[in-house]
Amino acid sequence: MKKKKIIFGTFIFLILAFMYLPILLIVIFSFSEGSGISFSDFEFGLQNYRDLFNNNVILEAIFNSLLIATIAAFTATIIGTMACVGMMKMRKRTRGVMMALNLTPMINATIVTAFSLVLLYATLGMVNMGYIRLILAHTLVALPIVMLIVLPKLRGLDKNMFEAAQDLGATPSQAFFKVMIPLLFPAMLGAFLVGFTLSVDEFIITNYNNADIVTIPTIVYAPRSFRWQPSFRALSAIVFMVVILALIIVNFKLSRNAKKRLTK
C-alpha cells in the first residue's frame, strides 16, 4: 500500500509540476529586466510592471477584456441557470436532445462558430457594433459550460423543495429566488468563473468579430514586433495571481458557509 501511495503521489506531483512550472517561470521572469529569458540574463527589477502600466494600448485591452468577460459570463450564468430549470421539467428523452444540442457549440470547431457569427452580424447589420457583437459571441461560448456545471447541481436537489416553499406561502418567484437560487449559488459562481476565464482567453471568435476593439488575446497575438514585449510577462503574472487569489477566496467562503450550515 505504501509503495502504491508513493507511486501515485509521485505521478500527481509530476503532473502538477508539468502544469504549473511554465507559469511559475513566467512569474519569476516578470521581475527580470534582462533582455533574455535564461537565468544567466536574469536582472531583478520592476521595469516590466512599470512598462505595463504606462502602456495605454495594453491597459485599454485589459479594460475591454474584463468588461466583456464580466457581462458575458454574468449573462450566460443567468440564461444558463434558467435554461437548466426549464430542462428539468422536460421529459427525459427531450432533455437528452436538448443537452446534445447544448454540447454542439463545444464540439464544433471554433473557426466555424466565428465565421457563422460574422455572417449573422453582417445579415443583421451589426458590423460596427463591436462591444455588443463580442458580448453576444462570448455569451454563446460560455453558455454550454454554464449549463454543464449548473445542471448536475440542480439534479441533486430535492425536487419537493420548490413545492414545499409554495405550500408554506411563497409565490413561485419567491420560492425560486429565496430557495432554489441560494442552493444553486455555488454552482452558479463556479460557472461564472469558468465563463469569465473562457471569455478572457477567447481569441478566434474575438479576432473575427471585434470591430477594431482590442482585447488581451488580440494584443498577445498581434504582429511579432509588438507581441514579444517583456511587459507581457508582467501581464501574465498578474492574471495568474488574480485567478489564484480569486479561487482561494471563493473556496474559503464556500467552505465557511458549508461549515455554518452543518453547525446549525
Side-chain angles (χ1 to χ4, degrees):
M1 293 295 293
K2 289 184 178 180
K3 290 183 179 180
K4 290 183 178 180
K5 288 183 179 179
I6 293 174
I7 293 173
F8 284 118
T10 304
F11 185 69
I12 293 173
F13 173 79
L14 291 175
I15 292 176
L16 293 177
F18 182 75
M19 291 172 58
Y20 288 98
L21 184 59
I23 302 176
L24 180 61
L25 289 176
I26 288 179
V27 176
I28 293 174
F29 280 100
S30 68
F31 295 98
S32 174
E33 295 184 359
S35 58
I37 52 175
S38 62
F39 284 102
S40 60
D41 298 324
F42 188 90
E43 298 177 8
F44 182 82
L46 299 176
Q47 187 60 41
N48 292 334
Y49 289 89
R50 287 192 290 267
D51 292 341
L52 173 65
F53 290 105
N54 289 327
N55 192 317
N56 293 328
V57 177
I58 297 179
L59 293 178
E60 181 184 359
I62 294 173
F63 174 79
N64 290 336
S65 292
L66 295 180
L67 176 65
I68 294 169
T70 302
I71 298 175
F74 180 79
T75 305
T77 302
I78 299 301
I79 296 176
T81 302
M82 296 175 64
C84 290
V85 173
M87 287 175 61
M88 289 302 297
K89 297 182 180 181
M90 298 177 180
R91 289 182 293 182
K92 188 175 181 179
R93 182 175 298 178
T94 306
R95 191 189 310 157
V97 173
M98 294 301 296
M99 279 304 299
L101 293 174
N102 176 60
L103 292 174
T104 302
M106 298 176 58
I107 301 173
N108 192 25
T110 308
I111 190 68
V112 176
T113 304
F115 278 124
S116 301
L117 289 172
V118 170
L119 293 176
L120 176 64
Y121 292 145
T123 303
L124 297 177
M126 300 172 60
V127 177
N128 296 321
M129 302 173 67
Y131 281 103
I132 296 178
R133 290 173 58 178
L134 287 181
I135 290 172
L136 292 177
H138 286 209
T139 301
L140 176 64
V141 172
L143 191 57
I145 301 295
V146 170
M147 295 180 66
L148 282 178
I149 295 175
V150 175
L151 190 60
K153 177 66 176 179
L154 189 60
R155 286 176 177 172
L157 298 180
D158 190 350
K159 298 179 181 179
N160 298 320
M161 295 187 67
F162 185 78
E163 296 178 358
Q166 290 180 290
D167 293 338
L168 293 174
T171 62
S173 60
Q174 289 176 334
F176 179 74
F177 286 104
K178 293 185 178 181
V179 177
M180 303 299 293
I181 292 298
L183 294 174
L184 292 173
F185 182 75
M188 294 174 63
L189 181 59
F192 173 83
L193 293 175
V194 174
F196 182 88
T197 305
L198 289 174
S199 177
V200 171
D201 187 58
E202 180 57 49
F203 167 70
I204 296 179
I205 292 177
T206 304
N207 189 49
Y208 283 98
N209 295 277
N210 60 0
D212 296 329
I213 294 177
V214 291
T215 61
I216 294 176
T218 58
I219 286 291
V220 171
Y221 288 97
R224 183 175 293 271
S225 59
F226 186 77
R227 186 193 312 175
W228 298 110
Q229 289 191 15
S231 56
F232 280 117
R233 305 174 196 168
L235 176 60
S236 301
I238 291 174
V239 171
F240 175 70
M241 297 306 297
V242 168
V243 170
I244 292 296
L245 182 62
L247 288 175
I248 292 174
I249 294 173
V250 169
N251 288 325
F252 175 76
K253 288 187 176 182
L254 291 178
S255 61
R256 189 173 63 178
N257 292 337
K259 289 180 180 180
K260 287 182 179 180
R261 291 175 184 174
L262 293 175
T263 55
K264 288 183 179 179

